[in-house]
Amino acid sequence: EKGGYEHFMLKEIFEQPRSILDSMRGRLELGGSHLNMAGFRAYEQKFVNAQRIIIVACGTSWHAGLVAEYLIEDLARVPVEVEYASEFRYRNPVISERDIVIAISQSGETADTLAALELAKSKGATIFGICNVVGSSIARATDAGAYTHAGPEIGVASTKAFTAQVTVLTLLAMCIGQRRGTLSDTKLRELVAELHNIPSKVEKALKLDAEIREIAETFKDVPNFLYLGRGYNFPVALEGALKLKEISYIHAEGYPAAEMKHGPIALIDENMPVVVIATKDSSYEKVVSNIQEVKARKGRIIAVVTEGDTTIPAMAEYVIEVPHTSEILMPLVSVVPLQLLSYHIAVLRGCNVDQPRNLAKSVTVE
Ligand code: M6R
């Protein structure tokens, strides 16, 4: 059932070219600008008139929500707030009938996410679900939604569910942008074309597996890790750190790269590995400066860069090259080496990667 892989997590990481395709299937046509999302169509007018979109989720799904904040604000120009479901539900939040609340959940059973959604519903907001498990509690509680179609995810550490969530949220942002007239037809067609290239780019990123295993060998015994990224790669930094801590039990923190000098920089010395996601995008130059700052303090840099980058390899101890893609689609590719890095470190440390201690696949109690 593990399809020849040693663990479900590895199988699920390697399934991503297909699962990403499955989450797009039937929803967009190659070369065209016609998007077909039934759940969106049902609430099209609400999305067009929304004054705000609030995303509620936990863990990895919350990271997918952060990517969606960038996507929806960029493409559809609707203000977005991303909330931890557990905080949102207990803080007497301001919610109105013109708000749309999107719950993101792989299992569709997370207690806090379900409760946050029910609270929003009771205040008259339109509620929308992005779930992987068909017929789950959250899917049933929502007015409309979209399934991620990633297939069953068994490993406790979420991998293919995350990329499927990001794919569906990208399509949703495109739908809203198209209907609100904030996304031009040319830009939309470009994105559709590039989305079709994503599965093969993820496939290419998976070929880095052996190289990443070697990096894992070097760092498997360190007590701490720092992950940095900016823009669309900031949530990827958080996700990389979460993956590492939950399965390898190494303490890891993810930060927006620029926040480093407001505290975490004090942690950096010759023993601190710093994973920087530094692909070619609008914040590239800024990230290069952050790498310089880490290097000046002798931090050990592991950089995820765009293929062909010649600047960062001269500064980093290890470089992981991923294929180039549009800035807004980059999380789908840049997260893959981080999933593999945490997987290999955990295996080398003898950890139970599919069922890490103290964790459950669905958190049905608050
Ligand atoms: O099923 P959900 O997406 O609602 O689960 C949310 C979190 O519990 C989940 O993402 C958790 O953080 C994962 N173990 C992360 O890998």
Side-chain angles (χ1 to χ4, degrees):
E1 57 193 345
K2 290 184 199 142
Y5 290 95
E6 205 183 325
H7 298 99
F8 282 109
M9 182 183 178
L10 191 63
K11 170 176 175 267
E12 288 158 3
I13 292 173
F14 273 82
E15 267 171 13
Q16 290 177 107
R18 186 202 52 78
S19 55
I20 291 173
L21 191 65
D22 286 345
S23 54
M24 301 192 286
R25 201 185 300 281
R27 289 173 169 162
L28 45 78
E29 59 179 31
L30 186 57
S33 59
H34 182 68
L35 298 165
N36 181 23
M37 282 189 99
F40 170 77
R41 256 203 330 274
Y43 282 90
E44 197 172 286
Q45 220 41 52
K46 299 248 188 205
F47 274 103
V48 171
N49 298 327
Q51 64 180 11
R52 188 167 64 143
I53 292 176
I54 303 166
I55 297 177
V56 293
C58 305
T60 288
S61 298
W62 184 80
H63 297 155
L66 284 182
V67 177
E69 174 178 24
Y70 286 72
L71 285 164
I72 297 171
E73 293 201 346
D74 245 3
L75 304 181
R77 312 301 300 145
V78 185
V80 178
E81 281 166 33
V82 189
E83 305 267 3
Y84 285 116
S86 56
E87 287 298 315
F88 180 80
R89 63 179 287 205
Y90 287 119
R91 78 144 206 266
N92 192 16
V94 179
I95 310 169
S96 87
E97 286 167 9
R98 285 190 57 204
D99 290 328
I100 296 184
V101 176
I102 302 180
I104 308 175
S105 176
Q106 187 288 127
S107 62
E109 301 298 342
T110 301
D112 281 320
T113 310
L114 182 59
L117 200 65
E118 270 158 3
L119 172 69
K121 193 178 189 174
S122 73
K123 306 253 183 207
T126 298
I127 59 175
F128 194 90
I130 309 262
C131 297
N132 193 42
V133 176
V134 176
S136 54
S137 304
I138 293 173
R140 282 183 284 118
T142 42
D143 302 319
Y147 282 116
T148 45
H149 299 304
E153 191 181 62
I154 311 292
V156 164
S158 190
T159 53
K160 65 172 180 172
F162 173 77
T163 47
Q165 287 164 343
V166 172
T167 305
V168 168
L169 289 160
T170 306
L171 298 178
L172 181 65
M174 288 160 69
C175 284
I176 310 171
Q178 186 180 38
R179 276 299 281 112
R180 285 174 58 94
T182 52
L183 175 61
S184 73
D185 211 47
T186 322
K187 176 85 182 149
L188 181 70
R189 279 168 197 273
E190 259 174 47
L191 281 172
V192 169
E194 190 50 23
L195 266 169
H196 278 95
N197 294 330
I198 292 295
S200 66
K201 292 185 176 180
V202 169
E203 193 80 65
K204 213 164 168 200
L206 291 168
K207 297 222 157 61
L208 300 162
D209 189 44
E211 204 179 299
I212 292 170
R213 196 177 181 284
E214 279 175 32
I215 303 176
E217 285 278 2
T218 307
F219 293 100
K220 67 179 180 13
D221 296 318
V222 304
N224 296 293
F225 254 89
L226 200 58
Y227 285 72
L228 304 175
R230 296 177 88 113
Y232 282 89
N233 282 324
F234 155 54
V236 175
L238 298 186
E239 177 60 7
L242 176 62
K243 284 296 85 96
L244 188 70
K245 58 192 140 188
E246 70 178 325
I247 60 168
S248 75
Y249 318 140
I250 293 177
H251 169 240
E253 290 198 54
Y255 261 92
E259 271 294 304
M260 183 177 65
K261 53 170 74 75
H262 300 282
I265 199 165
L267 294 166
I268 298 174
D269 63 13
E270 65 282 3
N271 299 315
M272 179 67 105
V274 184
V275 177
V276 190
I277 306 115
T279 50
K280 281 271 167 67
D281 59 25
S282 57
S283 46
Y284 176 77
E285 300 299 334
K286 303 264 177 210
V287 179
V288 169
S289 319
N290 297 136
I291 292 177
Q292 267 151 355
E293 290 153 6
V294 173
K295 201 172 162 59
R297 286 154 189 90
K298 303 195 171 59
R300 304 183 67 179
I301 299 152
I302 305 155
V304 177
V305 303
T306 303
E307 264 169 10
D309 187 316
T310 52
T311 309
I312 297 174
M315 302 157 68
E317 181 173 345
Y318 287 99
V319 164
I320 300 169
E321 288 197 19
V322 295
H324 178 70
T325 185
S326 152
E327 174 164 358
I328 75 169
L329 303 179
M330 190 44 98
L332 293 168
V333 180
S334 59
V335 75
V336 174
L338 305 189
Q339 296 169 340
L340 288 169
L341 182 64
S342 62
Y343 171 79
H344 287 299
I345 291 180
V347 169
L348 290 167
R349 287 166 69 92
C351 299
N352 183 348
V353 293
D354 282 337
Q355 278 179 306
R357 67 186 184 200
N358 311 339
L359 289 169
K361 185 63 184 161
S362 11
V363 183
T364 53
V365 289
E366 64 171 302

